[in-house]
Amino acid sequence: MIDTYRALDWSYYGPELLSAIADTIYMVAWAFLLGGFIGLAIGLTLYTTRDGGLLSNKAAYMAMNFVVNLIRPIPFVILIAALQPVTIYVIGSGIGNDAVIFVMIWASTFAIARIVEQNLVSIDPGVIEAARAMGASRLRIILTVLLPEALGPLILGYTFVIIALTDMSALAGIIGGGGIGNFAIVEGYNRFNPEVTWLAVIVVIIFVQSLQLVGNWAARKVMRR
Amino acid sequence: MSTAPLIEFNNVSRTFGTGDKKVTAVDDVSLRVDRGEVYGVIGFSGAGKSTLIRLINGLERPTAGSVHVLGQEISAMREGQLTKVRSRIGMVFQQFNLFHSRNVAGNVAYPLKVAGWKKPEREARVEELLDFVGLADKATQYPEQLSGGQKQRVGIARALAAKPDILLADESTSALDPNTTGEVLRLLRRANEELGITIVAITHEMEVIRSIADRVAVMDQGRIVESGLVYDVFSSPRESKDASFVGAALKNRPTSEDVRRIRGHATGRLVVVSLQNAGAVSAVLGQAVSHGVSFEIVHGGMNTTKNASYGLLTLALEGEVSAVEAFVAALNSAGEVQEVHE
């Protein structure tokens, strides 16, 4: 096995692989940052507008809930195609890494919205009542009670999403994006180089495992349990 | 300082739901709590106590009537306007409701941050409060590392942090064992006596009322069925409903079941004598033989409240009818005597 990899033309595959890894990190990072932020806002909206919530508002909750349910079940590869006109309008191009990021932001936003909502629901309502009784404003409660109290599970939820994004980014090649998935297909599969495909597999495993380890470590540190 | 009551309820009702599912948690309640007193509200669970106490700081809104607290009409204020007045009302909860993401010092500091205290003052105040509740050595621990009693002491420190005028205690000892209950009640009493804070405590435990309350209201099905000084209410409940509640809680007035059991071994006339003046009652009992009457103590006991003792004793009296009659008259001059109806 090792001999197989020694035999690879590293002067070619080395730079190709590095640039594929860089593309994956670029796509995942941007989609995670923006989707994570917008998803957090939508998740907080879902949680606070639900019945009995801090900003209880049935119409707003139903509307937001409907949109999340509408987008979330769409398989990523279909979402890429379906969003094409919007992608071209916003990004200026329907192909390439940035176009992929745009679609990934949609997917991660709605996944995170649900994860945020679900984790906030599990917070003891008594803690929120205590903060209200102390005279904390609703915004302060959201920022200094809700989020810190749910931080551990939120970190695990975000870890789940960043790994899902790595998975999505592997489809980037469909609309001319790069990344490790594209590398595996173009350099490995299409050219009958299984060892190159397996190289990509190893890289993805290391990538995902590292993310999971960091996520678990951070969640444990926050929860101290 | 004005003499207006600190808390005033005028014909307050709170209903939940509509139509068939309509539940009246608080039903036409009027009450007033004066500065510096400890006001207890006692009742079985489901009596509407939790809703009542939450009407004081606006966590619940009345559906009818008005609530005035600290000179402001709480019931007319919007959620956003309530934040200021709430920082003058501390609250302690049955389940403590501490922030798990903050350590002990962080929990106590939170209301101070809300009230806009600067960091140095905040730190000094937190230290002072942890000293007051005896947890100075636990400042950097997290709630899950504390026992139930310690958690509630943190809860009390947090509730007292911003120097509130009023402390609301919502079943503050119901999740604690008897020893810890005593510890928390002593702390509440100290808060009242040393800091002059007005306390409203709701509970289903007579122990809480006995050891800290000055005045008590008995609540049943959303209504206050009796209220007054603790001693007066419990030594001679006026309504049969609270007679049963108070009797059940104090276990010193025989229930009909108790009477059946007593009848299994004791004959003679059964009377209940009030022990408001226990010394005088004892003196009369000492003269039983000279009256030609023998007695057996078949039920009863004494309780001590914040300010006084009271109790009821049930006696089975044997002897000539006229002798027993004379003896009952003598007893009645020492403490109110009631016949036991079978």
Side-chain angles (χ1 to χ4, degrees):
Chain A
M1 173 109 176
I2 289 167
D3 288 338
T4 316
Y5 287 109
R6 276 202 193 112
L8 281 181
D9 178 6
W10 282 98
S11 64
Y12 173 74
Y13 288 115
E16 281 293 310
L17 183 61
L18 281 180
S19 106
I21 293 172
D23 280 350
T24 294
I25 292 175
Y26 172 75
M27 288 186 285
V28 170
W30 276 110
F32 182 70
L33 278 177
L34 293 171
F37 190 74
I38 307 167
L40 180 65
I42 294 178
L44 282 170
T45 309
L46 280 171
Y47 174 75
T48 51
T49 56
R50 59 169 45 222
D51 202 22
L54 284 169
L55 306 163
S56 182
N57 183 328
K58 200 164 185 179
Y61 177 78
M62 301 250 288
M64 197 60 91
N65 196 42
F66 177 75
V67 174
V68 173
N69 282 345
L70 195 74
I71 310 273
R72 218 161 88 77
I74 303 175
F76 187 66
V77 70
I78 298 175
L79 198 61
I80 292 175
L83 280 177
Q84 194 70 173
V86 189
T87 310
I88 292 169
Y89 181 78
V90 176
I91 303 295
S93 160
I95 57 167
N97 288 344
D98 291 346
V100 178
I101 290 173
F102 181 73
V103 185
M104 282 165 68
I105 289 170
W106 281 78
S108 61
T109 292
F110 292 100
I112 282 176
R114 262 305 171 233
I115 285 170
V116 168
E117 184 201 15
Q118 282 161 4
N119 284 317
L120 293 180
V121 168
S122 65
I123 296 177
D124 173 12
V127 177
I128 299 160
E129 187 179 46
R132 277 179 71 204
M134 287 174 218
S137 68
R138 282 170 287 201
L139 182 65
R140 183 189 282 271
I141 292 174
I142 290 169
L143 296 178
T144 65
V145 177
L146 286 183
L147 294 179
E149 290 290 305
L151 194 56
L154 280 177
I155 289 173
L156 292 176
Y158 271 83
T159 308
F160 178 83
V161 169
I162 200 170
I163 288 168
L165 281 169
T166 310
D167 182 15
M168 294 175 203
S169 75
L171 288 171
I174 291 177
I175 52 170
I180 303 167
N182 187 55
F183 173 84
I185 299 300
V186 173
E187 303 292 344
Y189 181 78
N190 289 353
R191 296 185 186 171
F192 304 100
N193 282 334
E195 61 275 15
V196 175
T197 310
W198 280 99
L199 183 63
V201 170
I202 292 164
V203 169
V204 167
I205 289 174
I206 293 170
F207 190 71
V208 168
Q209 287 291 333
S210 317
L211 290 172
Q212 190 67 59
L213 278 173
V214 170
N216 288 351
W217 170 82
R220 210 168 35 241
K221 197 168 161 70
V222 164
M223 293 195 273
R224 295 176 311 276
R225 291 192 185 115
Chain B
M1 200 171 286
S2 76
T3 53
L6 223 51
I7 301 169
E8 188 168 15
F9 278 47
N10 287 311
N11 305 101
V12 174
S13 293
R14 174 66 163 105
T15 56
F16 293 99
T18 50
D20 290 348
K21 290 179 189 154
K22 189 165 154 179
V23 177
T24 305
V26 172
D27 190 1
D28 194 28
V29 166
S30 296
L31 60 83
R32 36 190 301 165
V33 178
D34 296 317
R35 186 174 288 276
E37 73 171 329
V38 179
Y39 190 89
V41 179
I42 191 162
F44 294 120
S45 61
K49 308 183 299 287
S50 293
T51 308
L52 183 84
I53 202 168
R54 282 166 174 73
L55 287 162
I56 297 171
N57 59 0
L59 291 175
E60 287 286 354
R61 299 318 185 85
T63 37
S66 67
V67 177
H68 285 81
V69 178
L70 295 162
Q72 287 170 287
E73 188 176 354
I74 294 287
S75 46
M77 294 165 88
R78 285 181 288 109
E79 179 79 14
Q81 299 173 303
L82 282 169
T83 55
K84 257 220 161 64
V85 66
R86 277 179 180 158
S87 66
R88 296 177 61 193
I89 309 173
M91 190 164 185
V92 183
F93 302 86
Q94 177 172 6
Q95 296 302 333
F96 326 124
N97 295 350
L98 300 181
F99 303 122
H100 303 287
S101 54
R102 295 169 196 275
N103 62 20
V104 167
N107 268 277
V108 179
Y110 189 83
L112 299 174
K113 284 187 188 168
V114 170
W117 288 44
K118 297 269 179 298
K119 198 173 179 200
E121 285 90 41
R122 218 159 59 207
E123 284 173 351
R125 179 69 180 154
V126 169
E127 202 172 318
E128 187 184 340
L129 281 158
L130 290 181
D131 264 345
F132 182 75
V133 300
L135 290 175
D137 55 331
K138 305 277 187 220
T140 57
Q141 300 219 328
Y142 282 83
E144 67 260 26
Q145 298 169 284
L146 304 178
S147 70
Q150 291 172 333
K151 283 182 193 170
Q152 195 58 296
R153 278 147 68 192
V154 175
I156 292 171
R158 186 176 69 172
L160 296 174
K163 302 190 172 175
D165 299 86
I166 300 170
L167 179 66
L168 306 177
D170 174 13
E171 296 279 8
S172 55
T173 56
S174 302
L176 304 174
D177 62 52
N179 282 339
T180 324
T181 294
E183 196 178 281
V184 166
L185 291 178
R186 277 192 293 280
L187 192 52
L188 289 176
R189 188 147 65 179
R190 274 179 59 211
N192 171 249
E193 287 167 358
E194 294 172 25
L195 312 175
I197 193 166
T198 307
I199 299 179
V200 177
I202 63 161
T203 184
H204 62 267
E205 298 170 307
M206 191 61 79
E207 172 70 16
V208 175
I209 302 295
R210 287 204 298 112
S211 53
I212 66 170
D214 297 302
R215 285 200 299 146
V216 64
V218 180
M219 211 173 169
D220 185 50
Q221 297 184 348
R223 292 180 157 271
I224 289 185
V225 291
E226 170 113 43
S227 66
L229 294 173
V230 173
Y231 178 78
D232 293 341
V233 170
F234 289 157
S235 57
S236 50
R238 276 184 289 269
E239 286 189 25
S240 60
K241 190 111 201 177
D242 13 295
S244 80
F245 180 86
V246 172
L250 294 176
K251 293 186 174 36
N252 61 12
R253 183 186 290 273
T255 61
S256 51
E257 201 176 312
D258 290 329
V259 171
R260 263 199 304 281
R261 205 169 51 240
I262 291 165
R263 275 304 179 213
H265 61 86
T267 51
R269 181 169 167 186
L270 287 184
V271 294
V272 176
V273 58
S274 158
L275 297 176
Q276 250 151 322
N277 186 348
V281 172
S282 305
V284 174
L285 290 179
Q287 297 156 13
V289 178
S290 65
H291 276 91
V293 172
S294 69
F295 69 89
E296 187 187 345
I297 297 171
V298 290
H299 197 89
M302 288 192 67
N303 295 83
T304 308
T305 65
K306 193 173 173 184
N307 307 311
S309 314
Y310 64 94
L312 296 171
L313 214 52
T314 304
L315 305 168
L317 307 174
E318 299 255 26
E320 293 283 332
V321 174
S322 59
V324 169
E325 197 60 52
F327 183 64
V328 168
L331 265 181
N332 203 23
S333 64
E336 191 192 339
V337 174
Q338 293 170 339
E339 297 294 326
V340 173
H341 303 287
E342 296 174 43

